[in-house]
Amino acid sequence: MQFGIFTVGDVTPDPTTGRTPTEHERIKTMTAIALKAEEVGLDVFATGEHHNPPFVPSSPTTMLGWIAARTERLVLSTSTTLITTNDPVKIAEDFAMLQHLADGRVDVMLGRGNTGPVYPWFGQDIRQGIPLAIENYALLHKLWREDVVDWQGRFRTPLQGFTSTPRPLDGVPPFVWHGSIRSPEIAEQAAYYGDGFFHNNIFWNKEHTQRMVSLYRERYAHYGHGTAEQAIVGLGGQVFMRRNSQDAVREFRPYFDNAPVYGHGPSLEDFTEQTPLTVGSPQQVVEKTLAFRDYAGDYQRQLFLMDHAGLPLKTVLEQIDMLGEEVVPVLREEFAARRPAQVPDAPTHASLVARREAGAAAVAPGTTA
């Protein structure tokens, strides 16, 4: 099972000091967090994609390329690449290039985004969000698997004899996660292609998460990719820790109350009760995260949000230290002990290459697959 960090890259005032970081500071903070994630033994760093204030990560592959040059093990991902407003050709090229630079340590999470004004900025209509996601991914999937592509659809100019360059590393595209918090159509899309489904459940109760993940698992099996238990699932989570749970609540409360997404809404206590947010001791984080399995089943990737709402870098790095030293080792052991043998690990470039080679070797000379 993979454990990591995802960031949304918000530029938010620290409510305890009133100071707002500059965009430059926030970008540097995100890269420092990625390096810290590798240092403490985490598996994944993922960045969102946003094109509107108060967010800064408008060019995820630029950031991930910088991080790739300074890390050796970390899987580099997005925690949303906007499949609706990006050209699929550019996604294919950018992530194949990043894949080469990072020696395969790359995957991508596709999503529609949740900011309506972004669509017209890139010449699209939010009312077409689902059709855009479906058509654009069909093209992206084809571009990574066929050397010469002819294409005609509703939302972009036709392609004739087009080759996306560079080609994916070792002929194996980056693994794709389809991210959604509320759209059954996206769970269906992930299942249809046999891709991963990432439910960022930081704002939702467990009943909603269970419905979305169960739908994906059922449809994954329906399309013949394996059993429902073998479907590839990822979950989000959100934590703030101190050795003493009362200290964690007291310190985090002003950040929660003023956060740009959920601030000035439910109380910290209500939100913690109703969602995966955990504010407390490392042991409480372990216990609540293990409970995700009760309603989502055995899954492959757990990403934590830790650097939002104006939290200073020093505090975030302290959180990542605790995560890497006290939380993740226990979670690895406990999840591994509970996972049935037939449940697969999270896909990596190496495992995808091995699977392709095994499939090729299974085809005898003179036969077709």
Side-chain angles (χ1 to χ4, degrees), residues 71-86:
T71 56
E72 297 179 356
R73 298 179 298 96
L74 204 61
V75 174
L76 307 173
S77 184
T78 49
S79 50
T80 298
T81 292
L82 300 177
I83 188 64
T84 48
T85 52
N86 281 303

Side-chain angles (χ1 to χ4, degrees), residues 32-185:
I33 289 167
L35 300 185
K36 187 67 170 179
E38 170 146 301
E39 177 189 320
V40 303
L42 301 183
D43 304 303
V44 183
F45 173 81
T47 174
E49 177 190 347
H50 297 277
H51 299 276
N52 55 291
F55 305 98
V56 293
S58 58
S59 181
T61 53
T62 303
M63 174 178 288
L64 295 177
W66 187 97
I67 295 168
R70 290 158 178 81
T71 56
E72 297 179 356
R73 298 179 298 96
L74 204 61
V75 174
L76 307 173
S77 184
T78 49
S79 50
T80 298
T81 292
L82 300 177
I83 188 64
T84 48
T85 52
N86 281 303
D87 183 355
V89 171
K90 197 69 172 75
I91 295 176
E93 294 174 339
D94 284 352
F95 280 90
M97 177 66 78
L98 179 60
Q99 192 188 34
H100 282 274
L101 292 172
D103 295 322
R105 294 182 292 122
V106 172
D107 56 37
V108 58
M109 186 189 304
L110 302 175
R112 292 187 295 129
N114 57 10
T115 307
V118 170
Y119 282 76
W121 296 342
F122 291 89
Q124 301 296 349
D125 182 344
I126 192 172
R127 294 171 295 182
Q128 299 298 322
I130 292 292
L132 277 163
I134 293 170
E135 180 177 299
N136 283 356
Y137 182 59
L139 175 54
L140 175 61
H141 190 271
K142 191 179 184 75
L143 288 166
W144 272 339
R145 288 164 175 81
E146 298 181 15
D147 289 340
V148 181
V149 170
D150 295 320
W151 172 266
Q152 185 165 350
R154 291 174 56 194
F155 298 110
R156 76 170 324 281
T157 53
L159 297 173
Q160 293 184 346
F162 179 78
T163 299
S164 174
T165 60
R167 304 304 298 146
L169 178 65
D170 300 318
V172 175
F175 184 74
V176 171
W177 301 82
H178 298 259
S180 179
I181 59 175
R182 61 185 178 273
S183 301
E185 296 92 340

Side-chain angles (χ1 to χ4, degrees), residues 14 22 25 59 124 149 152 217 254 284 289 292 306 358 363:
D14 183 331
T22 66
E25 289 171 331
S59 181
Q124 301 296 349
V149 170
Q152 185 165 350
R217 289 187 183 279
Q284 287 174 303
T289 305
F292 294 173
M306 307 187 81
V363 179

